[in-house]
Amino acid sequence: MQRRQTPHPGHTYLAPLDFDPRRVAQIPRTFINCSQPPLATIDVIRTRVCDPRFWDGAWLPGSRVLELLTGHDPMISAPQALTGLLLDCLQSSKLN
């Protein structure tokens, strides 16, 4: 796996994404919080997705946060658990 990894493209931190949060919030979404070990570069995102003020309150309705006790690459460290969560998301979307 290590030989296939590439550096994170820095421009993603510098180029703001222009979008309408209310329009995006109309789409049901799931955030899988891979929390062990913590990763300082994305800790701010972890708090945002649970914050009712994020996107002026538009984020939380229609969203859910699931936790996976693994690192930032769950497809490597916990593939079966990740697959289970993704299949669960698929089932949930079919019920709605």
Side-chain angles (χ1 to χ4, degrees), residues 3-78:
R3 68 186 169 92
R4 289 191 165 85
Q5 287 193 333
T6 59
H8 190 285
H11 70 278
T12 59
Y13 289 111
L14 302 174
L17 185 60
D18 186 27
F19 66 98
D20 178 358
R22 301 231 177 264
R23 186 171 177 203
V24 172
Q26 293 174 9
I27 302 167
R29 61 219 162 273
T30 300
F31 178 77
I32 299 177
N33 183 12
C34 299
S35 58
Q36 296 297 322
L39 186 58
T41 56
I42 62 170
D43 279 347
V44 68
I45 295 167
R46 295 179 207 280
T47 58
R48 281 184 187 165
V49 298
C50 297
D51 185 345
R53 297 167 299 174
F54 187 55
W55 283 354
D56 294 325
W59 170 263
L60 285 179
S63 71
R64 65 184 180 156
V65 179
L66 305 175
E67 186 168 4
L68 191 55
L69 298 175
T70 191
H72 188 61
D73 293 312
M75 61 291 228
I76 304 299
S77 59

